[in-house]
Amino acid sequence: MISNKKDKMAKHMLKNNKSNESGYYRDAFNRLLKNKAAIICFLVICFLVIVAIFAPLFATHDPYKNVLKETLQKPSMNHLLGTDENGRDLYSRIIYGTRVSLSVGLISQSVALVIGVLLGAIAGYYGGIIDAIISRTIEIFSAFPDLLFAIGMMFALGPGIVNLFIALGLLSWTSIARIVRGQILQLKEKEFVEASIASGNSNLNIIFSHLLPNCVSSIIVLTTIGIPSAILSEAALSFLGLGVQAPQASWGSTIHSAQQYIRILPVYSLAPGVAIIITVLAFNILGDALRDALDPRLKNM
């Protein structure tokens, strides 16, 4: 009888916890809808995603076709942003560069998310020697300046977009792991976790079904803010010749190629630069809005 009562109480506490979660996210969504800047930025990001997916429909020329008789042309009706030193249409290369920038941001953050969430959750839940080893690993990775670490990784792995995904993923997992670890340390002392243990759930079930869902808001914010950082890092590495390699279209590599022609054709370097600014601003503003919506106490600080 006593055991049955405990099981019923545990199930009731777990049910209440899930109900509170759904109400919390519904309120956060309503707060987000009231932020006009966030909605505009979300629509900008959606438009960029559509452009990346349907790049051939938006491009007016083949971005990889060299037309040497049309090199370094100024913007015109035929070439909206002019052409580069190989006669390739700059507008079309900017359009295809959207694919590279968004894929780098999304995939590298996915890599960081998997590593950071798993290690952070394991460290926070199990504690002891496991926590000590993972925490020291986080400190070692965090000790290196971001760009210097990325440059070192690209030197070790070699240039290329796949290696770029890996390098930038390894660059940004530490902040996710640190936040998840801290939240798990607090959450595992809560009553609903004790109720889950009393119900006979396994450690993995407790971590993935009851602890991590309560960390989702922080993970969303960190990921949204991490994407523009990855886009900027890709642009910097491609500018240095360590990222995306020619002839693949990339905003960073386009700026790199435009250096010596900046006086002759300013739009050559300005166009990809403006594209980077718009994309990074959209993600940053949306990330800040998500942070405020998911933690309304920040507005009162």
Side-chain angles (χ1 to χ4, degrees), residues 4-77:
N4 289 335
K5 287 183 179 179
K6 286 184 177 179
D7 288 342
K8 288 181 179 179
M9 289 179 63
K11 290 179 181 178
H12 179 69
M13 293 178 68
L14 293 174
K15 186 177 180 180
N16 285 341
N17 180 59
K18 290 181 180 179
S19 177
N20 291 336
E21 284 180 29
S22 62
Y24 165 75
Y25 287 112
R26 184 170 54 252
D27 292 341
F29 180 72
N30 291 332
R31 285 192 292 270
L32 186 63
L33 287 178
K34 295 177 182 178
N35 191 325
K36 294 181 180 179
I39 299 302
I40 292 171
C41 289
F42 176 75
L43 293 175
V44 169
I45 293 168
C46 289
F47 175 72
L48 290 171
V49 171
I50 292 171
V51 169
I53 294 172
F54 301 104
L57 298 179
F58 286 90
T60 56
H61 295 75
D62 183 346
Y64 303 112
K65 184 179 180 180
N66 296 332
V67 185
L68 298 180
K69 64 180 180 180
E70 297 183 356
T71 58
L72 297 174
Q73 288 193 356
K74 293 182 178 180
S76 64
M77 292 300 294

Side-chain angles (χ1 to χ4, degrees), residues 174-191:
T174 54
S175 57
I176 297 174
R178 189 179 288 110
I179 294 297
V180 170
R181 173 186 173 273
Q183 291 198 330
I184 295 292
L185 283 172
Q186 294 178 347
L187 290 168
K188 72 177 185 179
E189 304 299 332
K190 299 289 185 180
E191 291 181 349

Side-chain angles (χ1 to χ4, degrees), residues 115-155:
I115 298 172
V117 168
L118 286 178
L119 292 183
I122 291 170
Y125 185 77
Y126 289 101
I129 186 65
I130 295 176
D131 182 23
I133 292 172
I134 293 176
S135 295
R136 297 298 82 76
T137 304
I138 293 173
E139 290 171 3
I140 291 170
F141 273 82
S142 300
F144 296 95
D146 289 351
L147 186 57
L148 183 62
F149 178 84
I151 290 172
M153 286 295 297
M154 292 308 296
F155 266 119

